[in-house]
Amino acid sequence: MTAEVLRLERVRKSFGSVNALRSASLTLREGEVVALLGDNGAGKSTLIKAISGVHPVDGGDIYVRGEKASIRSARDAIDLGIETIHQDTSLAPDLSIARNLFLGREPVKLPFLGVFAPLDFPELRRAASALLRRVGISKKLDADAPVDTLSGGERQSIAISRAMQFAAKVIILDEPTNNLGVEETHGVLRFVKEVRDAGHTVLFITHNIHHVFQVADRIVIMRRGEIVAERAVEDTDLLTVESLIMGVDVSTLVKEAKAR
């Protein structure tokens, strides 16, 4: 069995009287894509925000590489090797691809000047071009091109590349194919598999179950703030997963609908 990279044990989070997470436990292992599924209000967003430090948990434990961790902010998560890529990819649209890839960590000249050190633009462009080639983005992109000139799929690829560049152990993708065209969607799904093959762990949140069966190794299903089921993709099917998400036997519902 591959090494554990992240483990949640009985994690809880409430907002007033609303129990968004009720004793949720989850384990992620090295080099796998885990799909997190659930209906609206199931607790998926709260779970990933707990992992990424947006919502510090009220109770339970989080372990990274077997060591107990405290994630109270987004910086804590990043320092632990957890990168989250949201639907808007969290990129700066007016900046170049190169600046976005190394944002906050750009190479500089005269580093002894600290925050006043000038950026080393030739080195920045060279490193960005090398990274784009290394992560396998097939379309030739100009590292100096502004991000707002890119397609949605290209933006997602740039955001994922940035997470890979800084050695993220866990990359959380929140609806990465939302609002993308067919070709762009296939490109992002292919890139997700390449990320896994490079040894990273991906937590993949989506409403599109068909995409799950294309890229995921394992499916985790949430309902009412709890993780209610886990299945290896190879050992389950679409109807079973839909039934687990809804809490009812979908095949029976289909038969009853046809009988009317």
Side-chain angles (χ1 to χ4, degrees), residues 5-6 8 26-29 31-37 43-52 82-86 160 169-176 192 195-196 200-206 212 215-222 227:
V5 292
L6 179 70
L8 310 183
L26 170 69
T27 299
L28 301 180
R29 300 183 184 90
E32 68 171 351
V33 177
V34 176
L36 182 63
L37 303 181
K44 304 186 304 298
S45 293
T46 304
L47 184 70
I48 66 171
K49 287 177 179 178
I51 297 171
S52 59
I82 301 168
E83 295 269 359
T84 303
I85 300 168
H86 299 286
I160 297 170
K169 299 180 180 73
V170 177
I171 300 175
I172 301 172
L173 300 179
D174 182 12
E175 298 284 355
V192 170
V195 170
R196 175 196 58 200
H200 301 267
T201 300
V202 178
L203 184 60
F204 180 53
I205 297 88
T206 182
V212 169
V215 300
D217 303 295
R218 189 157 50 96
I219 297 171
V220 172
I221 296 165
M222 295 190 72
I227 292 174

Side-chain angles (χ1 to χ4, degrees), residues 2-48:
T2 53
E4 169 194 300
V5 292
L6 179 70
R7 183 169 83 254
L8 310 183
E9 290 189 352
R10 302 178 301 279
V11 167
R12 304 185 309 279
K13 181 65 183 179
S14 297
F15 299 96
S17 61
V18 177
N19 295 319
L21 292 178
R22 307 168 183 260
S23 193
S25 297
L26 170 69
T27 299
L28 301 180
R29 300 183 184 90
E30 192 174 69
E32 68 171 351
V33 177
V34 176
L36 182 63
L37 303 181
D39 219 336
N40 291 333
K44 304 186 304 298
S45 293
T46 304
L47 184 70
I48 66 171

